[in-house]
Amino acid sequence: MSAKDHIATASDPEFAGRVMMIMFKVAQNVASEDPATANHAERIAYASFVIMGNEKPQLVSAHVISSNPTISGAIDSDPAALGSNVPDGDIEFALASIWDARSLAFAAA
């Protein structure tokens, strides 16, 4: 693992743009989820923050990369690809996986 390669990918406008588009998809899914979902109030507040365009895609990209070994492994296997070898489905899975952590951190701020 090279943190420099991960930083370069998280900072890449194309990769961060992909993360941003998929963030909107996940935010919409959260906005439509069952209100009985654990941490729903925090999840919906963070979804609103994302939908209104207030989140920083490069920051979320770094969280996605650092939290998901499949994504970081793909970047490690071909650093020059800057994440173009990471399927959108993997990004969506990673975002859904970190949504509670991000929403609870957002609520605490």
Side-chain angles (χ1 to χ4, degrees), residues 79-104:
L82 294 172
S84 64
N85 59 335
V86 176
D88 287 353
D90 288 357
I91 296 170
E92 184 173 350
F93 177 83
L95 283 167
S97 298
I98 64 173
W99 203 267
D100 274 3
R102 295 198 67 76
S103 63
L104 293 171

Side-chain angles (χ1 to χ4, degrees), residues 25-38:
K25 180 179 182 182
V26 175
Q28 181 59 47
N29 290 340
V30 169
S32 304
E33 75 186 6
D34 183 339
T37 301

